[in-house]
Amino acid sequence: MYRPPVYMGPPLDYAGYHGNILQASHYAPTGNSSNVPQAVKNWGGFGGYAPTSEVCLPNWPRDWKPSGEDPALNFHLVRFPRSSAASQERMTVQAGIPSHSCAGYAAGSSPGSHWKGSLGFIDTHCHLDLLFSKMSFQGSFKKFTETYSQSFPKEFQGCISDFCDPRTLKDGMWGDLLKEDLVWGAFGCHPHFARYYNESQERNILQALRHPRAVALGEVGLDYSSKCTTPVQQQQKVFERQLQLAVSLNKPLVIHCREADQDLLAIMKRYVPPDYKIHRHCFTGSYLLLEPLLKYFPNMSVGFTAVLTYSSAWETRDALMHIPLDRIVVETDAPYFLPRGIPKSLCQYAHPGLALYTVREIARIKGQPLTQILATLRENTNYIYNI
Ligand SMILES: [Zn+2]
């Protein structure tokens, strides 16, 4: 099912980076502080894995509950307050970007520190390795944007590429991509590949997460649909394990969930603090399924793709109506979900530049100006990912 990328780049060149990210997170469980390298050392794979195994991950009780009021009882879908600077930024964003154009890719430097004041978007979730593979494209992302400049609007400010099959993390492609100004990375083991999860793959994920442009752990989660062949129990173990890794590293989470909403929430409640930053990726279901998750995790944002543009996706559009704008991010999940109406002659697969079509659809459904939607989504992206 999974085809490895055709791209072959030079070996990784970030080994010199030894950023000290393996500290205990802001959420300090009682008892030992976390120590991820030891956790890796102690990971015994599924053969030897048992809840009582000695792992040096945060070992707070599985039925841990936040002190004080249970957020699940709080029926306001509000996010924890942002910094006053962030609120102020929203107030000062000026309207007036030119009307949408699909031509003229404006190459720029990293938007990390320069995006404020310029209206644009970041595709918060795509798979550049799969995209390049499907298109038989070889080269840098910059070359890709130049090759397909007709469909990269000037508002494009970058993308977060998810690498979620740990078996491919040794091929070097992600390291080359993360050298580029417009690419950030997320790393984890997708439930589809959870059946292959083992100690060495976990080591690869942790190694990748040390990169300064690795902004999140994911996508991880549960997939009970017929498309996923990993047994449920194995999915859950790998999911639990990675939730603990994310929290110990204080990395935002990218969550995949298909037909497993109840179990997902129950597991996340056990391992993730309520105020944690989370991206619930590629949401396509009904609002009722999502509501408990949004209530419990006030810093969770929901990612919408070009599915919104499909005529059959009325339920997804209805969910969007119910979710406050400050809890939404835009994503393509490229190469999947080509926006409706895009001629295959322009691009055969979805790519990060096409996220603007989804932003426009969000603006239409919310009944707000495109400029306002762009500004808020960009701020939301900055809030979750700090980019
Ligand atoms: Zn994805």
Side-chain angles (χ1 to χ4, degrees):
M1 182 172 70
Y2 178 82
R3 288 185 297 146
V6 294
Y7 173 94
M8 294 296 287
L12 296 183
D13 183 31
Y14 81 106
Y17 176 76
H18 294 293
N20 189 20
I21 61 167
L22 298 181
Q23 299 288 339
S25 71
H26 65 288
Y27 172 65
T30 54
N32 299 332
S33 61
S34 65
N35 184 320
V36 174
Q38 283 190 43
V40 174
K41 196 169 66 183
N42 289 327
W43 168 257
F46 289 106
Y49 180 80
T52 53
S53 303
E54 187 190 346
V55 292
C56 293
L57 284 167
N59 55 351
W60 56 88
R62 290 171 68 104
D63 58 351
W64 175 83
K65 271 197 166 44
S67 57
E69 187 183 354
D70 184 348
L73 301 176
N74 177 356
F75 288 96
H76 301 286
L77 275 183
V78 293
R79 159 177 289 170
F80 282 7
R82 299 180 182 182
S83 70
S84 57
S87 321
Q88 215 149 22
E89 170 64 24
R90 184 187 300 182
M91 298 293 289
T92 57
V93 165
Q94 299 295 313
I97 61 163
S99 58
H100 169 243
S101 156
C102 259
Y105 166 70
S109 58
S110 166
S113 57
H114 303 298
W115 67 274
K116 294 195 174 186
S118 64
L119 281 176
F121 66 90
I122 283 181
D123 175 8
T124 59
H125 184 108
C126 62
H127 301 274
L128 292 183
D129 53 348
L130 297 177
L131 176 64
F132 286 11
S133 173
K134 280 191 180 292
M135 298 183 75
S136 299
F137 178 84
Q138 299 189 38
S140 66
F141 182 64
K142 186 166 191 295
K143 185 179 164 197
F144 185 87
T145 61
E146 288 164 356
T147 306
Y148 296 94
S149 62
Q150 287 296 306
S151 51
F152 272 92
K154 62 184 175 4
E155 291 86 3
F156 179 69
Q157 294 183 344
C159 62
I160 299 172
S161 184
D162 271 56
F163 299 89
C164 57
D165 181 350
R167 294 173 301 174
T168 66
L169 287 181
K170 280 287 185 193
D171 70 8
M173 181 184 189
W174 68 267
D176 286 336
L177 284 168
L178 262 60
K179 287 176 185 165
E180 303 198 47
D181 282 345
L182 297 177
V183 183
W184 291 267
F187 301 90
C189 181
H190 192 288
H192 285 200
F193 310 117
R195 58 166 63 237
Y196 308 112
Y197 195 83
N198 59 29
E199 184 178 342
S200 87
Q201 289 186 11
E202 183 173 283
R203 200 180 298 118
N204 292 343
I205 292 171
L206 291 170
Q207 176 88 344
L209 284 170
R210 288 190 184 130
H211 194 285
R213 292 175 71 87
V215 293
L217 191 146
E219 57 186 286
V220 298
L222 301 175
D223 192 327
Y224 295 175
S225 73
S226 56
K227 286 184 179 173
C228 187
T229 54
T230 305
V232 164
Q233 205 187 8
Q234 202 167 2
Q235 288 189 41
Q236 292 182 353
K237 277 184 180 174
V238 172
F239 183 41
E240 289 172 1
R241 174 77 182 175
Q242 292 183 96
L243 291 179
Q244 293 172 86
L245 289 174
V247 172
S248 71
L249 294 166
N250 195 20
K251 287 284 186 190
L253 276 161
V254 184
I255 296 294
H256 170 104
C257 181
R258 290 276 178 276
E259 301 176 22
D261 300 85
Q262 281 194 344
D263 285 359
L264 186 100
L265 179 57
I267 289 174
M268 288 187 69
K269 277 182 175 179
R270 271 186 237 139
Y271 295 102
V272 183
D275 65 342
Y276 211 70
K277 291 184 178 177
I278 301 164
H279 172 178
R280 168 68 173 83
H281 128 78
C282 191
F283 186 72
T284 58
S286 78
Y287 176 72
L288 281 179
L289 285 176
L290 191 64
E291 193 177 43
L293 207 57
L294 285 173
K295 283 178 176 169
Y296 190 86
F297 293 107
N299 282 323
M300 170 181 280
S301 281
V302 184
F304 284 91
T305 66
V307 165
L308 277 179
T309 67
Y310 300 170
S311 54
S312 59
W314 59 269
E315 201 173 44
T316 311
R317 286 189 288 274
D318 178 70
L320 180 78
M321 291 277 284
H322 283 84
I323 301 171
L325 189 59
D326 69 353
R327 302 194 61 181
I328 292 169
V329 289
V330 66
E331 59 173 274
T332 60
D333 207 10
Y336 311 107
F337 307 122
L338 192 65
R340 182 176 166 221
I342 300 275
K344 290 251 176 183
S345 58
L346 189 64
C347 191
Q348 213 179 347
Y349 296 96
H351 69 61
L354 301 181
L356 189 57
Y357 285 86
T358 302
V359 178
R360 286 160 64 92
E361 184 65 10
I362 293 171
R364 190 189 70 76
I365 294 167
K366 289 286 194 187
Q368 293 184 33
L370 180 61
T371 51
Q372 178 68 42
I373 300 292
L374 274 171
T376 307
L377 297 186
R378 186 65 186 84
E379 188 182 314
N380 299 345
T381 301
N382 178 251
Y383 183 75
I384 295 285
Y385 290 109
N386 197 29
I387 57 176

